Amino acid sequence: LGHDTHIASKNATCIVLPTNQPINPARNRRELIQKTNEEQPMHALYSYALITDAEEGLILTNIETLSDGEPRNNFLTRALTWNDKGILTGARHITLAGTTAYIAATAGIVVLDLDQPLKPRLLAVIPLKDVRATAVQFRYLFATTADGLRVIDVTHADQPRIVDNARISLQDAQRVYVARTYAYVAAGSQGLAIIDVERPEQPRLYQFYTADGALNDTRDVIVATTNASLYAYVADGRNGLKVLQLTSPDSQPRFYGFSPDPKPELIASYATRQPALALSKGLDRDRGVDETGHQMAVFGRIGSRPFNLQEMQRLYLDDHGKPWYVTDQP
């Protein structure tokens, strides 16, 4: 009856959207909108959902039909299937940072440039074994592997640098979520591993949290804020969904700070019919630009736009492409 969003594939493992904000890329391409609001057109990548498949590699499907106001044409089809020379064999997880994709596969972390979404370009392969998942924040990529948490400098996506001494050993690290100065790792039988990454190249374990043994099969974690309190939503495998309150006025007097120390407390559980393995991310509110400088939101005033990539980089890179640093001495 006008709706079929199923795409058959051999072994689909992960799906991601360029943004989880409600958007309509086609609207922002209209000449009248651009002329009136002086807005930038949205990048072509925002028209697609991206899917990893362990056998087929990367699959793209155009999802603009879901936002065009016509309810009778919501049929999704493949726009691209890409696995050049088998580089994405074993693909199990994908993280997007603007038009740069980090895909965990058998070869390691495969870095793709999707500036032309239907013509992916291989930028690099980060040689890590048994990568489970990744998360990116500013200049660093955080990856979980069979050995635990690893940190990669991706200031220049085509020249990633594994930070050799930046690692946290974990017995069974699964997915990872980074929120400001803490990385949260679903660590299987070890529960939730909370890692201080204020200094990304010198991470340190803040604590393991198991809620007195109630969390013992953690597979995924998503962190989100409701009002002024921070919560972690945990897919705890055979135990179902768990909700942890990370900050509250009672447990953390400094809960209004930029990145207060988390004080986790199990506040809710929900038994699922099958093992809880993964979670979807909450809404990224008020985000106007992605990591590669492409506008993703319409601002409320004429002529406003976020910095593009070159303008952003001038704020933190010198003329040689190296990060600016300051010292404690004037």
Side-chain angles (χ1 to χ4, degrees):
L1 295 177
H3 181 90
D4 183 2
T5 54
H6 169 261
I7 293 178
S9 74
K10 293 181 179 179
N11 189 1
T13 52
C14 188
I15 182 170
V16 68
L17 298 172
T19 178
N20 55 18
Q21 296 179 143
I23 60 171
N24 185 349
R27 175 188 179 276
N28 231 38
R29 296 194 194 103
R30 296 173 188 166
E31 184 177 348
L32 178 62
I33 295 295
Q34 292 183 38
K35 183 178 180 180
T36 303
N37 281 7
E38 300 179 23
E39 295 283 347
Q40 300 178 98
M42 299 192 77
H43 191 277
L45 186 63
Y46 285 87
S47 299
Y48 297 94
L50 296 86
I51 304 151
T52 56
D53 187 285
E55 298 181 48
E56 299 187 70
L58 178 65
I59 300 169
L60 267 63
T61 179
N62 192 307
I63 56 173
E64 281 193 18
T65 184
L66 302 179
S67 60
D68 64 2
E70 170 55 72
R72 296 169 295 184
N73 66 353
N74 295 337
F75 297 92
L76 297 187
T77 59
R78 293 183 187 224
L80 173 73
T81 303
W82 191 90
N83 190 11
D84 189 36
K85 299 179 181 178
I87 191 66
L88 292 181
T89 298
R92 68 200 69 170
H93 186 267
I94 178 172
T95 293
L96 276 182
T99 56
T100 304
Y102 299 93
I103 301 177
T106 302
I109 301 173
V110 180
V111 186
L112 297 180
D113 176 9
L114 298 176
D115 189 49
Q116 298 183 60
L118 301 183
K119 296 180 179 179
R121 184 169 65 91
L122 179 64
L123 293 180
V125 178
I126 303 170
L128 291 176
K129 293 183 179 180
D130 196 1
V131 181
R132 280 83 184 276
T134 58
V136 68
Q137 183 169 267
F138 192 31
R139 296 194 301 111
Y140 292 94
L141 182 73
F142 300 85
T144 52
T145 72
D147 299 325
L149 182 72
R150 302 296 303 271
V151 180
I152 302 100
D153 182 337
V154 291
T155 302
H156 302 286
D158 59 343
Q159 303 172 39
R161 175 180 64 89
I162 299 174
V163 184
D164 289 331
N165 297 324
R167 64 177 72 191
I168 299 293
S169 295
L170 300 169
Q171 294 175 7
D172 187 21
Q174 297 295 320
R175 294 196 174 184
V176 55
Y177 191 97
V178 181
R180 295 187 175 175
T181 62
Y182 291 92
Y184 298 82
V185 179
S189 62
Q190 291 182 293
L192 183 66
I194 305 177
I195 299 165
D196 185 333
V197 293
E198 182 174 4
R199 297 176 181 269
E201 300 200 11
Q202 302 171 35
R204 63 180 183 86
L205 181 65
Y206 174 74
Q207 75 171 106
F208 284 112
Y209 182 74
T210 66
D212 296 324
L215 271 68
N216 54 43
D217 190 28
T218 59
R219 309 295 186 90
D220 195 6
V221 56
I222 298 292
V223 174
T225 300
T226 301
N227 193 12
S229 294
L230 200 64
Y231 295 88
Y233 301 86
V234 180
D236 195 25
R238 59 181 176 272
N239 304 310
L241 175 68
K242 301 291 179 61
V243 182
L244 312 180
Q245 184 157 358
L246 298 175
T247 61
S248 72
D250 293 333
S251 67
Q252 173 51 283
R254 298 188 301 165
F255 72 102
Y256 270 130
F258 171 75
S259 185
D261 298 345
K263 305 295 182 184
E265 176 187 1
L266 177 63
I267 61 170
S269 301
Y270 180 81
T272 52
R273 294 183 179 181
Q274 300 293 332
L277 304 179
L279 293 160
S280 59
K281 187 180 180 182
L283 175 66
D284 278 333
R285 279 194 56 195
D286 306 326
R287 193 176 189 215
V289 65
D290 64 30
E291 288 85 352
T292 47
H294 298 102
Q295 184 169 339
M296 66 171 67
V298 176
F299 292 144
R301 48 197 178 276
I302 291 178
S304 60
R305 68 164 176 82
F307 286 158
N308 60 36
L309 181 61
Q310 290 71 33
E311 291 165 336
M312 289 192 290
Q313 288 179 335
R314 286 172 59 190
L315 294 176
Y316 64 90
L317 298 179
D318 63 21
D319 292 338
H320 304 288
K322 302 290 185 181
W324 293 106
Y325 291 98
V326 297
T327 68
D328 292 333
Q329 301 299 321

